[in-house]
Amino acid sequence: MEIVVNNKTSRPLYEQIITQIKAQIMNGELKAGDPLPSIRSLAKSLQISILTVQKAYDLLQTDGFIETTAGKGCYVSAQNQDFYLEEQQKKIEEHFNEAIEIARTSGIPLDKLLNLLTLLYDYEN
């Protein structure tokens, strides 16, 4: 598992850790049951505070991405993918609602909006 943090960005370090671990879970690099580095070892390797890593792990556990077993460590949870996909779908819906409102107020018909979405989606691949 590789995590890289950047002190020069406005995003807090714990958020950077959370985002990268979630991404590794979603793309299959980390699978259900895989162990995460200990809080101390990750903090040492990233040269950051143990409290920062603790906060990231606590939030990941709260969100259902990891499970902690006393004395054994933190592991990737089995139920995380569905939760993450639901979270991402909500974000997409918010952006779609904004786009739909702009299209409606601008008089752009649905078929043109769908064509634009298709072009943008295909262009990224």
Side-chain angles (χ1 to χ4, degrees):
M1 180 178 99
E2 183 178 340
I3 297 197
V4 178
V5 293
N6 182 352
N7 290 328
K8 296 181 186 196
T9 182
S10 62
R11 276 187 83 205
L13 296 173
Y14 73 91
E15 283 184 10
Q16 294 177 47
I17 294 168
I18 290 170
T19 300
Q20 290 177 58
I21 290 175
K22 283 181 179 181
Q24 290 179 31
I25 290 169
M26 294 314 300
N27 70 21
E29 288 178 50
L30 291 173
K31 297 180 181 8
D34 284 352
L36 295 178
S38 72
I39 291 169
R40 287 177 193 250
S41 68
L42 185 57
K44 185 176 180 182
S45 70
L46 297 175
Q47 299 179 339
I48 60 174
S49 168
I50 290 172
L51 296 175
T52 301
V53 177
Q54 177 71 52
K55 184 172 185 173
Y57 278 22
D58 286 348
L59 291 170
L60 284 165
Q61 183 169 346
T62 299
D63 288 347
F65 283 90
I66 66 172
E67 299 169 354
T68 303
T69 305
K72 293 189 177 183
C74 297
Y75 298 87
V76 176
S77 173
Q79 59 192 356
N80 51 43
Q81 281 193 320
D82 291 339
F83 180 82
Y84 183 75
L85 290 175
E86 181 67 26
E87 186 179 277
Q88 294 305 96
Q89 186 172 333
K90 285 179 187 176
K91 287 181 186 176
I92 291 168
E93 287 173 10
E94 289 173 16
H95 291 292
F96 279 172
N97 282 330
E98 289 177 34
I100 290 167
E101 184 62 31
I102 293 169
R104 283 182 178 149
T105 58
S106 303
I108 298 171
L110 178 59
D111 63 329
K112 285 193 178 185
L113 188 60
L114 289 171
N115 287 339
L116 178 60
L117 177 62
T118 303
L119 284 171
L120 291 171
Y121 189 86
D122 289 344
Y123 179 75
E124 292 298 319
N125 289 333

